[in-house]
Amino acid sequence: MTTDTALVRHVARAEEYVADARSCWNPSRIASCGECAEALRRAVAEMEAACAAAAQGPAPAGVEMRIGRLRSEVDGLARLVDSAMAFCRGLAVQTESGELVHSEMEG
C-alpha cells in the first residue's frame, strides 16, 4: 500500500468517526456524550495515523484541507461533549447536595 493510499484511508476513517460522533450527539443523555467522546477518540487516532503517513511524503491534493476541517470539527464537538459532561456531573452533584441539605434540615 502506498503512502498516499494509507493517508487517504486514515482521513476517510477519521471522517467516518466524526460523522458517527455527530449522529450520536445528544447533550441531554450522558451515555450519548460518552458514545460521542469515544467516536472522537477514534477519529483523533486515525488523524494521528494520517499525520504519520503524511510525514512519509507529499500529501495528495485536498487531503490537507480535509485534515484541517476534521481538526476543526473534532475540536468543536470535543468542547460540546466536555461541556455537556461537566454540566451533567455538576447537576448530579447539585441534586445530591440538595437532597442532603433537605434531609439535614428535617432530621
Side-chain angles (χ1 to χ4, degrees):
M1 180 182 313
T2 67
T3 302
D4 289 355
T5 305
L7 173 59
V8 171
R9 188 188 70 219
H10 289 300
V11 170
R13 283 187 187 158
E15 288 170 336
E16 289 173 9
Y17 286 128
V18 169
D20 290 346
R22 266 191 255 112
S23 70
C24 69
W25 169 242
N26 181 351
S28 64
R29 293 188 55 238
I30 192 78
S32 294
C33 291
E35 291 172 24
C36 185
E38 181 58 32
L40 290 174
R41 276 190 282 279
R42 291 180 180 174
V44 168
E46 288 296 335
M47 288 170 56
E48 289 172 349
C51 289
Q56 304 292 324
V63 171
E64 289 182 31
M65 185 174 62
R66 287 169 67 187
I67 291 173
R69 186 178 35 82
L70 279 168
R71 284 183 179 147
S72 177
E73 288 183 60
V74 167
D75 185 49
L77 278 170
R79 289 172 191 246
L80 288 173
V81 169
D82 287 345
S83 296
M85 291 179 99
F87 176 79
C88 289
R89 283 192 303 268
L91 187 61
V93 168
Q94 198 170 35
T95 300
E96 289 173 11
S97 298
E99 291 173 6
L100 291 174
V101 170
H102 181 69
S103 66
E104 288 175 6
M105 290 174 58
E106 290 183 1

Coordinates of all heavy atoms in Angstrom, one line a residue:
M1 N 0.9 -1.2 0.0 CA 0.0 0.0 0.0 C 0.9 1.2 0.0 O 1.8 1.3 0.8 CB -0.9 0.0 1.2 CG -1.8 1.1 1.4 SD -2.8 1.2 2.8 CE -3.5 -0.5 2.9
T2 N 0.6 2.2 -0.8 CA 1.4 3.4 -0.9 C 1.0 4.3 0.2 O 0.0 4.2 0.9 CB 1.1 4.1 -2.3 OG1 -0.2 4.6 -2.3 CG2 1.4 3.2 -3.4
T3 N 1.9 5.3 0.4 CA 1.7 6.3 1.5 C 0.5 7.1 1.2 O -0.3 7.3 2.1 CB 2.9 7.2 1.6 OG1 4.1 6.5 1.8 CG2 2.8 8.2 2.6
D4 N 0.2 7.4 -0.1 CA -1.0 8.2 -0.4 C -2.2 7.4 -0.1 O -3.2 8.0 0.5 CB -1.0 8.5 -1.9 CG 0.1 9.6 -2.3 OD1 0.7 10.1 -1.4 OD2 0.2 9.8 -3.5
T5 N -2.2 6.1 -0.4 CA -3.4 5.3 -0.1 C -3.6 5.2 1.4 O -4.8 5.3 1.8 CB -3.2 3.9 -0.7 OG1 -2.9 4.0 -2.1 CG2 -4.5 3.1 -0.5
A6 N -2.6 5.0 2.2 CA -2.7 4.9 3.6 C -3.2 6.2 4.2 O -4.1 6.2 5.0 CB -1.4 4.5 4.2
L7 N -2.7 7.3 3.7 CA -3.1 8.6 4.2 C -4.6 8.9 3.9 O -5.3 9.3 4.8 CB -2.2 9.7 3.5 CG -2.6 11.2 3.8 CD1 -2.5 11.5 5.3 CD2 -1.7 12.1 3.0
V8 N -5.0 8.6 2.7 CA -6.4 8.9 2.3 C -7.3 7.9 3.1 O -8.4 8.3 3.6 CB -6.6 8.7 0.8 CG1 -8.0 8.7 0.4 CG2 -5.8 9.8 0.1
R9 N -6.9 6.7 3.3 CA -7.7 5.7 4.1 C -7.9 6.2 5.5 O -9.0 6.2 6.1 CB -7.0 4.4 4.0 CG -7.9 3.3 4.7 CD -7.2 2.0 4.8 NE -6.2 2.1 5.9 CZ -5.0 1.6 5.8 NH1 -4.6 0.9 4.8 NH2 -4.1 1.8 6.8
H10 N -6.8 6.7 6.2 CA -6.9 7.2 7.5 C -7.8 8.4 7.6 O -8.6 8.5 8.6 CB -5.5 7.5 8.1 CG -4.7 6.3 8.4 ND1 -5.1 5.3 9.3 CD2 -3.5 5.9 7.9 CE1 -4.2 4.4 9.3 NE2 -3.2 4.7 8.5
V11 N -7.7 9.3 6.7 CA -8.5 10.5 6.7 C -10.0 10.1 6.5 O -10.9 10.6 7.2 CB -8.0 11.5 5.6 CG1 -9.1 12.6 5.4 CG2 -6.7 12.1 5.9
A12 N -10.2 9.2 5.6 CA -11.6 8.7 5.4 C -12.2 8.1 6.6 O -13.4 8.3 7.0 CB -11.7 7.8 4.2
R13 N -11.4 7.3 7.3 CA -11.9 6.7 8.6 C -12.2 7.7 9.6 O -13.2 7.7 10.3 CB -10.9 5.7 9.1 CG -10.9 4.4 8.4 CD -10.0 3.4 9.0 NE -9.9 2.2 8.3 CZ -8.9 1.3 8.4 NH1 -7.9 1.5 9.3 NH2 -8.8 0.2 7.7
A14 N -11.3 8.7 9.7 CA -11.5 9.8 10.7 C -12.8 10.5 10.4 O -13.5 10.9 11.3 CB -10.3 10.8 10.7
E15 N -13.0 10.8 9.1 CA -14.3 11.5 8.7 C -15.5 10.6 9.1 O -16.5 11.1 9.5 CB -14.3 11.7 7.2 CG -13.3 12.8 6.8 CD -13.1 13.0 5.3 OE1 -13.4 12.0 4.6 OE2 -12.7 14.1 4.9
E16 N -15.4 9.3 8.9 CA -16.5 8.4 9.3 C -16.7 8.5 10.9 O -17.9 8.5 11.3 CB -16.2 7.0 8.9 CG -16.3 6.7 7.5 CD -15.8 5.3 7.1 OE1 -15.5 4.5 8.0 OE2 -15.6 5.1 5.9
Y17 N -15.7 8.5 11.6 CA -15.8 8.6 13.1 C -16.4 9.9 13.5 O -17.2 10.0 14.4 CB -14.5 8.3 13.8 CG -14.1 6.9 13.8 CD1 -12.8 6.5 13.3 CD2 -14.9 5.9 14.2 CE1 -12.4 5.2 13.3 CE2 -14.5 4.5 14.2 CZ -13.3 4.2 13.8 OH -12.9 2.9 13.7
V18 N -16.0 11.0 12.8 CA -16.6 12.3 13.1 C -18.1 12.3 12.8 O -18.9 12.8 13.6 CB -15.9 13.4 12.4 CG1 -16.6 14.8 12.5 CG2 -14.5 13.6 13.0
A19 N -18.5 11.7 11.7 CA -19.9 11.6 11.3 C -20.6 10.7 12.4 O -21.8 11.1 12.7 CB -20.0 10.9 9.9
D20 N -20.0 9.7 12.9 CA -20.6 8.9 13.9 C -20.8 9.7 15.2 O -21.9 9.6 15.8 CB -19.8 7.6 14.3 CG -19.7 6.6 13.2 OD1 -20.6 6.7 12.3 OD2 -18.9 5.7 13.2
A21 N -19.8 10.5 15.5 CA -19.9 11.4 16.7 C -21.0 12.4 16.6 O -21.8 12.6 17.5 CB -18.6 12.1 16.9
R22 N -21.2 13.0 15.4 CA -22.3 13.9 15.2 C -23.6 13.2 15.3 O -24.6 13.8 15.8 CB -22.1 14.5 13.8 CG -21.4 15.9 13.8 CD -21.6 16.6 12.5 NE -20.3 16.5 11.7 CZ -20.1 15.8 10.6 NH1 -21.1 15.2 10.1 NH2 -18.9 15.8 10.0
S23 N -23.7 12.0 14.8 CA -25.0 11.3 14.7 C -25.5 10.9 16.1 O -26.7 10.8 16.4 CB -25.0 10.2 13.8 OG -24.2 9.1 14.3
C24 N -24.5 10.6 17.0 CA -24.9 10.1 18.4 C -24.9 11.3 19.4 O -25.3 11.0 20.5 CB -24.0 9.0 18.8 SG -22.3 9.4 19.2
W25 N -24.6 12.5 19.0 CA -24.5 13.6 19.9 C -25.9 13.9 20.4 O -26.8 14.2 19.6 CB -23.9 14.8 19.2 CG -24.0 16.1 19.9 CD1 -24.6 17.2 19.5 CD2 -23.5 16.4 21.2 NE1 -24.6 18.2 20.5 CE2 -23.9 17.7 21.5 CE3 -22.8 15.7 22.2 CZ2 -23.5 18.3 22.7 CZ3 -22.4 16.3 23.4 CH2 -22.8 17.6 23.6
N26 N -26.0 13.9 21.7 CA -27.3 14.3 22.4 C -26.9 14.8 23.8 O -26.6 14.0 24.6 CB -28.2 13.1 22.5 CG -29.5 13.5 23.2 OD1 -29.7 14.5 23.7 ND2 -30.5 12.5 23.1
P27 N -26.8 16.1 24.0 CA -26.3 16.6 25.2 C -27.2 16.3 26.4 O -26.8 16.4 27.6 CB -26.3 18.1 25.0 CG -27.2 18.4 23.9 CD -27.2 17.1 23.0
S28 N -28.4 15.8 26.2 CA -29.3 15.6 27.3 C -29.1 14.1 27.9 O -29.7 13.8 28.9 CB -30.8 15.8 26.9 OG -31.1 14.8 25.9
R29 N -28.3 13.3 27.2 CA -28.0 12.0 27.7 C -26.5 11.8 27.9 O -25.8 11.9 26.9 CB -28.5 10.9 26.7 CG -30.1 10.9 26.6 CD -30.6 9.8 25.7 NE -30.1 8.5 26.2 CZ -29.4 7.6 25.4 NH1 -29.1 7.9 24.2 NH2 -29.0 6.5 25.9
I30 N -26.1 11.5 29.1 CA -24.7 11.3 29.4 C -24.1 10.1 28.6 O -23.0 10.1 28.2 CB -24.5 11.1 30.9 CG1 -23.0 11.2 31.2 CG2 -25.0 9.8 31.4 CD1 -22.4 12.6 31.2
A31 N -25.0 9.1 28.4 CA -24.5 7.9 27.6 C -24.2 8.3 26.1 O -23.2 7.9 25.6 CB -25.5 6.8 27.6
S32 N -25.0 9.2 25.6 CA -24.7 9.7 24.2 C -23.4 10.5 24.2 O -22.7 10.5 23.2 CB -25.9 10.5 23.7 OG -27.0 9.7 23.6
C33 N -23.2 11.3 25.2 CA -22.0 12.1 25.3 C -20.8 11.1 25.3 O -19.8 11.4 24.7 CB -22.0 12.9 26.6 SG -23.2 14.3 26.5
G34 N -20.9 10.0 26.1 CA -19.8 9.1 26.1 C -19.6 8.4 24.8 O -18.4 8.2 24.4
E35 N -20.6 8.1 24.1 CA -20.5 7.5 22.7 C -19.9 8.5 21.8 O -19.0 8.1 21.0 CB -21.9 7.1 22.2 CG -22.5 5.9 22.9 CD -24.0 5.7 22.5 OE1 -24.3 6.1 21.3 OE2 -24.7 5.1 23.2
C36 N -20.3 9.7 21.9 CA -19.7 10.7 21.0 C -18.2 10.9 21.3 O -17.4 11.0 20.4 CB -20.4 12.1 21.2 SG -19.9 13.4 20.1
A37 N -17.9 10.9 22.6 CA -16.5 11.1 23.0 C -15.6 9.9 22.5 O -14.5 10.1 22.0 CB -16.3 11.2 24.5
E38 N -16.2 8.7 22.5 CA -15.4 7.5 22.0 C -15.2 7.6 20.5 O -14.1 7.3 20.0 CB -16.2 6.2 22.4 CG -15.5 5.0 21.9 CD -14.1 4.8 22.4 OE1 -13.8 5.3 23.6 OE2 -13.2 4.3 21.7
A39 N -16.2 8.1 19.8 CA -16.1 8.2 18.3 C -15.0 9.3 18.0 O -14.2 9.2 17.1 CB -17.4 8.6 17.7
L40 N -15.0 10.4 18.8 CA -14.0 11.4 18.7 C -12.6 10.9 19.0 O -11.6 11.2 18.3 CB -14.3 12.6 19.5 CG -15.5 13.4 19.1 CD1 -15.8 14.5 20.1 CD2 -15.4 14.0 17.7
R41 N -12.5 10.0 20.0 CA -11.1 9.5 20.3 C -10.6 8.6 19.1 O -9.5 8.7 18.7 CB -11.2 8.6 21.5 CG -11.1 9.4 22.8 CD -10.9 8.5 24.0 NE -12.2 7.9 24.5 CZ -13.1 8.5 25.2 NH1 -12.9 9.7 25.6 NH2 -14.2 7.9 25.5
R42 N -11.5 7.9 18.5 CA -11.2 7.1 17.3 C -10.8 7.9 16.2 O -9.9 7.6 15.4 CB -12.3 6.1 17.0 CG -12.5 5.0 18.0 CD -13.6 4.1 17.7 NE -13.7 3.1 18.7 CZ -14.6 2.2 18.8 NH1 -15.5 2.1 17.8 NH2 -14.6 1.3 19.7
A43 N -11.5 9.0 16.0 CA -11.2 10.0 14.9 C -9.8 10.6 15.1 O -9.0 10.7 14.1 CB -12.2 11.1 14.8
V44 N -9.5 10.9 16.3 CA -8.2 11.5 16.6 C -7.1 10.5 16.4 O -6.0 10.8 15.8 CB -8.1 12.0 18.1 CG1 -6.7 12.4 18.5 CG2 -9.0 13.2 18.2
A45 N -7.3 9.2 16.7 CA -6.3 8.2 16.5 C -6.1 8.0 15.0 O -4.9 7.9 14.5 CB -6.8 6.9 17.1
E46 N -7.1 8.1 14.2 CA -7.0 8.0 12.7 C -6.3 9.2 12.2 O -5.5 9.1 11.2 CB -8.3 7.8 12.0 CG -8.9 6.4 12.2 CD -8.1 5.3 11.6 OE1 -7.4 5.5 10.6 OE2 -8.3 4.2 12.1
M47 N -6.6 10.4 12.7 CA -5.9 11.6 12.3 C -4.4 11.6 12.6 O -3.6 12.0 11.8 CB -6.6 12.8 12.9 CG -7.9 13.1 12.4 SD -8.8 14.4 13.3 CE -7.7 15.8 13.2
E48 N -4.1 11.0 13.8 CA -2.6 10.9 14.1 C -2.0 9.9 13.1 O -0.8 10.1 12.7 CB -2.5 10.4 15.6 CG -2.9 11.4 16.6 CD -2.9 10.9 18.0 OE1 -2.9 9.7 18.2 OE2 -3.0 11.7 18.9
A49 N -2.6 8.8 12.8 CA -2.1 7.9 11.8 C -2.0 8.5 10.5 O -1.0 8.3 9.7 CB -3.0 6.6 11.7
A50 N -2.9 9.4 10.1 CA -2.8 10.1 8.8 C -1.6 11.1 8.8 O -0.9 11.2 7.8 CB -4.1 10.9 8.6
C51 N -1.4 11.7 9.9 CA -0.2 12.6 10.0 C 1.1 11.9 9.9 O 2.0 12.3 9.3 CB -0.3 13.4 11.3 SG -1.6 14.7 11.3
A52 N 1.1 10.7 10.5 CA 2.3 9.9 10.4 C 2.5 9.4 9.0 O 3.7 9.4 8.5 CB 2.2 8.6 11.3
A53 N 1.5 9.1 8.3 CA 1.6 8.7 6.9 C 2.0 9.9 6.0 O 2.7 9.7 5.1 CB 0.2 8.1 6.4
A54 N 1.5 11.1 6.4 CA 1.8 12.3 5.6 C 3.3 12.6 5.7 O 3.8 13.2 4.8 CB 0.9 13.4 6.0
A55 N 3.9 12.2 6.8 CA 5.3 12.5 7.1 C 6.2 11.7 6.1 O 7.4 12.1 5.9 CB 5.7 12.2 8.5
Q56 N 5.6 10.7 5.5 CA 6.4 9.8 4.6 C 6.6 10.5 3.2 O 7.5 10.1 2.4 CB 5.7 8.5 4.4 CG 5.4 7.8 5.7 CD 6.6 7.2 6.3 OE1 7.6 6.8 5.6 NE2 6.7 7.2 7.6
G57 N 5.8 11.5 2.9 CA 5.9 12.1 1.6 C 4.8 13.2 1.4 O 4.0 13.4 2.3
P58 N 4.8 13.8 0.2 CA 3.8 14.8 0.0 C 2.4 14.2 0.0 O 2.1 13.1 -0.5 CB 4.1 15.4 -1.4 CG 5.0 14.3 -2.0 CD 5.7 13.6 -0.9
A59 N 1.4 15.0 0.5 CA 0.0 14.6 0.6 C -0.7 14.9 -0.8 O -0.4 15.8 -1.4 CB -0.7 15.3 1.7
P60 N -1.6 14.0 -1.1 CA -2.4 14.2 -2.3 C -3.2 15.5 -2.2 O -3.5 16.0 -1.1 CB -3.3 13.0 -2.4 CG -2.8 12.0 -1.5 CD -2.0 12.7 -0.5
A61 N -3.6 16.1 -3.3 CA -4.3 17.3 -3.4 C -5.6 17.2 -2.6 O -6.3 16.2 -2.7 CB -4.6 17.7 -4.8
G62 N -5.9 18.2 -1.8 CA -7.1 18.3 -1.0 C -7.1 17.6 0.4 O -8.0 17.8 1.2
V63 N -6.1 16.7 0.6 CA -6.1 16.0 1.9 C -5.8 16.9 3.0 O -6.4 16.8 4.1 CB -5.0 14.8 1.8 CG1 -4.8 14.2 3.2 CG2 -5.5 13.8 0.8
E64 N -4.9 17.9 2.9 CA -4.5 18.8 3.9 C -5.8 19.6 4.3 O -6.0 19.9 5.5 CB -3.4 19.7 3.5 CG -2.1 19.0 3.4 CD -1.0 20.0 3.1 OE1 -1.0 21.2 3.4 OE2 0.0 19.5 2.4
M65 N -6.6 20.0 3.4 CA -7.8 20.7 3.7 C -8.8 19.9 4.4 O -9.4 20.3 5.4 CB -8.5 21.2 2.4 CG -9.7 22.1 2.6 SD -10.3 22.8 1.1 CE -10.8 21.3 0.2
R66 N -8.9 18.6 4.1 CA -9.8 17.6 4.8 C -9.3 17.5 6.2 O -10.1 17.4 7.2 CB -9.8 16.3 4.1 CG -10.6 16.3 2.8 CD -10.4 15.1 2.0 NE -11.0 13.9 2.6 CZ -10.8 12.7 2.1 NH1 -10.1 12.5 1.0 NH2 -11.3 11.6 2.7
I67 N -8.0 17.4 6.4 CA -7.5 17.2 7.8 C -7.7 18.4 8.6 O -8.1 18.4 9.8 CB -6.0 16.9 7.7 CG1 -5.7 15.5 7.2 CG2 -5.3 17.0 9.1 CD1 -4.3 15.1 6.9
G68 N -7.6 19.6 8.0 CA -7.9 20.9 8.7 C -9.3 21.0 9.1 O -9.6 21.4 10.3
R69 N -10.2 20.6 8.2 CA -11.6 20.6 8.5 C -12.0 19.6 9.7 O -12.7 19.9 10.6 CB -12.4 20.2 7.3 CG -14.0 20.3 7.5 CD -14.7 20.0 6.2 NE -14.2 19.0 5.3 CZ -14.3 17.7 5.5 NH1 -15.0 17.3 6.5 NH2 -13.8 16.9 4.6
L70 N -11.3 18.4 9.6 CA -11.5 17.4 10.6 C -11.1 17.9 12.0 O -11.8 17.7 13.0 CB -10.7 16.1 10.3 CG -11.4 15.2 9.3 CD1 -10.4 14.1 8.9 CD2 -12.6 14.5 10.0
R71 N -9.9 18.6 12.0 CA -9.4 19.1 13.3 C -10.4 20.1 13.9 O -10.7 20.1 15.1 CB -8.1 19.8 13.1 CG -6.9 18.9 12.9 CD -5.6 19.6 12.8 NE -4.5 18.6 12.7 CZ -3.4 18.9 12.0 NH1 -3.3 20.0 11.3 NH2 -2.5 17.9 12.0
S72 N -10.9 20.9 13.0 CA -11.9 21.9 13.5 C -13.2 21.3 14.0 O -13.7 21.6 15.1 CB -12.3 22.9 12.3 OG -13.2 23.8 12.7
E73 N -13.7 20.3 13.3 CA -14.9 19.6 13.7 C -14.7 18.8 15.0 O -15.5 18.8 15.9 CB -15.4 18.6 12.6 CG -16.0 19.3 11.4 CD -16.5 18.3 10.4 OE1 -17.4 17.5 10.8 OE2 -16.0 18.3 9.3
V74 N -13.5 18.1 15.1 CA -13.2 17.4 16.3 C -13.1 18.3 17.5 O -13.7 18.1 18.6 CB -11.9 16.5 16.2 CG1 -11.4 16.0 17.5 CG2 -12.2 15.4 15.2
D75 N -12.4 19.5 17.3 CA -12.3 20.4 18.4 C -13.6 21.0 18.9 O -13.9 21.0 20.1 CB -11.4 21.6 17.9 CG -11.1 22.6 19.0 OD1 -10.7 22.1 20.1 OD2 -11.3 23.8 18.8
G76 N -14.5 21.3 17.9 CA -15.8 21.8 18.3 C -16.7 20.8 19.0 O -17.3 21.1 20.0
L77 N -16.7 19.6 18.5 CA -17.5 18.6 19.1 C -16.9 18.2 20.5 O -17.7 18.0 21.4 CB -17.6 17.3 18.2 CG -18.6 17.3 17.1 CD1 -18.4 16.2 16.2 CD2 -20.0 17.3 17.7
A78 N -15.6 18.2 20.6 CA -15.0 17.8 21.9 C -15.4 18.9 22.9 O -15.6 18.5 24.1 CB -13.5 17.7 21.7
R79 N -15.4 20.1 22.6 CA -15.8 21.2 23.5 C -17.2 21.0 24.0 O -17.6 21.1 25.1 CB -15.6 22.5 22.9 CG -14.2 22.9 22.7 CD -14.0 24.2 21.9 NE -12.7 24.5 21.6 CZ -12.0 25.5 22.1 NH1 -12.5 26.4 22.9 NH2 -10.7 25.7 21.7
L80 N -18.1 20.7 23.0 CA -19.5 20.4 23.3 C -19.7 19.2 24.3 O -20.4 19.3 25.3 CB -20.3 20.2 22.1 CG -20.6 21.4 21.2 CD1 -21.2 20.9 19.9 CD2 -21.4 22.4 21.9
V81 N -19.0 18.1 24.0 CA -19.0 16.9 24.8 C -18.5 17.2 26.2 O -19.1 16.9 27.2 CB -18.2 15.8 24.2 CG1 -18.1 14.6 25.1 CG2 -19.0 15.3 22.9
D82 N -17.4 17.9 26.3 CA -16.8 18.2 27.6 C -17.8 19.1 28.4 O -18.0 18.9 29.6 CB -15.5 19.0 27.5 CG -14.3 18.1 27.0 OD1 -14.5 16.8 27.1 OD2 -13.3 18.6 26.6
S83 N -18.4 20.1 27.8 CA -19.3 21.0 28.5 C -20.5 20.2 28.9 O -21.0 20.4 30.1 CB -19.7 22.1 27.5 OG -18.6 22.9 27.2
A84 N -21.1 19.4 28.1 CA -22.3 18.6 28.5 C -22.0 17.6 29.6 O -22.8 17.5 30.5 CB -22.8 17.8 27.2
M85 N -20.8 17.0 29.5 CA -20.5 16.0 30.6 C -20.2 16.8 31.9 O -20.7 16.3 33.0 CB -19.3 15.2 30.2 CG -19.6 14.2 29.1 SD -18.2 13.2 28.5 CE -18.6 11.7 29.4
A86 N -19.6 17.9 31.9 CA -19.4 18.7 33.1 C -20.7 19.2 33.6 O -20.9 19.1 34.9 CB -18.5 19.9 32.8
F87 N -21.6 19.6 32.8 CA -22.9 20.0 33.2 C -23.6 18.9 33.9 O -24.2 19.0 35.0 CB -23.8 20.5 32.0 CG -25.2 20.9 32.4 CD1 -25.4 22.1 33.1 CD2 -26.2 20.0 32.2 CE1 -26.7 22.4 33.4 CE2 -27.5 20.3 32.6 CZ -27.8 21.6 33.2
C88 N -23.6 17.7 33.3 CA -24.3 16.5 33.9 C -23.7 16.1 35.2 O -24.4 15.8 36.2 CB -24.2 15.3 33.0 SG -25.3 15.5 31.5
R89 N -22.4 16.2 35.3 CA -21.7 15.9 36.6 C -22.1 16.9 37.7 O -22.4 16.6 38.8 CB -20.2 15.9 36.5 CG -19.7 14.6 35.8 CD -18.2 14.5 35.9 NE -17.5 15.6 35.3 CZ -17.0 15.7 34.1 NH1 -17.2 14.7 33.3 NH2 -16.4 16.8 33.7
G90 N -22.1 18.2 37.3 CA -22.5 19.3 38.2 C -23.9 19.2 38.6 O -24.3 19.4 39.8
L91 N -24.8 18.8 37.7 CA -26.2 18.6 38.0 C -26.4 17.5 39.0 O -27.1 17.6 40.0 CB -27.0 18.3 36.7 CG -28.5 18.3 36.9 CD1 -29.0 19.6 37.4 CD2 -29.1 18.0 35.5
A92 N -25.6 16.4 38.8 CA -25.7 15.3 39.7 C -25.2 15.7 41.1 O -25.9 15.3 42.1 CB -24.9 14.1 39.2
V93 N -24.2 16.4 41.2 CA -23.6 16.8 42.5 C -24.6 17.8 43.2 O -24.9 17.7 44.3 CB -22.3 17.5 42.3 CG1 -21.8 18.2 43.6 CG2 -21.2 16.5 41.9
Q94 N -25.2 18.7 42.4 CA -26.1 19.7 42.9 C -27.4 18.9 43.4 O -27.9 19.3 44.5 CB -26.5 20.7 41.9 CG -27.1 21.9 42.4 CD -27.2 23.0 41.4 OE1 -27.4 22.7 40.2 NE2 -27.0 24.3 41.8
T95 N -27.8 18.0 42.7 CA -29.0 17.2 43.1 C -28.8 16.5 44.4 O -29.6 16.5 45.3 CB -29.4 16.2 42.0 OG1 -29.7 17.0 40.8 CG2 -30.7 15.5 42.3
E96 N -27.6 15.8 44.4 CA -27.3 15.1 45.6 C -27.1 16.0 46.8 O -27.6 15.7 47.9 CB -26.0 14.2 45.4 CG -26.2 13.1 44.5 CD -24.9 12.4 44.1 OE1 -23.9 12.7 44.8 OE2 -24.9 11.6 43.2
S97 N -26.4 17.1 46.6 CA -26.2 18.1 47.7 C -27.6 18.6 48.2 O -27.8 18.8 49.4 CB -25.3 19.2 47.2 OG -24.1 18.8 46.9
G98 N -28.5 18.9 47.2 CA -29.8 19.4 47.6 C -30.5 18.4 48.5 O -31.2 18.8 49.4
E99 N -30.5 17.1 48.2 CA -31.1 16.1 49.0 C -30.5 16.0 50.3 O -31.2 15.9 51.3 CB -31.1 14.8 48.2 CG -31.9 14.7 47.0 CD -31.7 13.4 46.2 OE1 -31.0 12.5 46.7 OE2 -32.2 13.4 45.1
L100 N -29.2 16.1 50.4 CA -28.5 16.0 51.7 C -28.9 17.2 52.6 O -29.2 17.1 53.8 CB -27.0 16.0 51.6 CG -26.5 14.7 50.9 CD1 -25.0 14.9 50.7 CD2 -26.7 13.5 51.8
V101 N -28.9 18.4 52.0 CA -29.3 19.6 52.8 C -30.8 19.5 53.2 O -31.1 19.8 54.4 CB -29.1 20.9 51.9 CG1 -29.8 22.1 52.6 CG2 -27.7 21.1 51.6
H102 N -31.6 19.0 52.4 CA -33.0 18.9 52.7 C -33.2 17.9 53.9 O -33.9 18.2 54.8 CB -33.8 18.4 51.5 CG -35.3 18.2 51.7 ND1 -36.1 19.2 51.9 CD2 -36.0 17.1 51.8 CE1 -37.4 18.8 52.2 NE2 -37.3 17.5 52.1
S103 N -32.5 16.8 53.8 CA -32.7 15.8 54.9 C -32.1 16.3 56.2 O -32.6 16.0 57.3 CB -32.0 14.5 54.5 OG -30.6 14.6 54.4
E104 N -31.0 17.1 56.1 CA -30.4 17.6 57.4 C -31.4 18.7 58.0 O -31.4 18.8 59.2 CB -29.1 18.3 57.0 CG -28.0 17.3 56.7 CD -26.7 18.0 56.3 OE1 -26.6 19.2 56.4 OE2 -25.8 17.2 55.9
M105 N -32.1 19.4 57.2 CA -33.0 20.4 57.7 C -34.2 19.7 58.4 O -34.7 20.2 59.4 CB -33.5 21.3 56.6 CG -32.4 22.2 56.1 SD -33.0 23.2 54.6 CE -34.4 24.0 55.3
E106 N -34.6 18.6 57.9 CA -35.8 17.9 58.5 C -35.4 17.0 59.6 O -36.2 16.7 60.5 CB -36.5 17.1 57.4 CG -37.2 18.0 56.5 CD -38.0 17.2 55.4 OE1 -38.0 16.0 55.6 OE2 -38.6 17.8 54.6
G107 N -34.2 16.5 59.6 CA -33.8 15.4 60.5 C -32.8 15.8 61.5 O -32.6 15.4 62.6

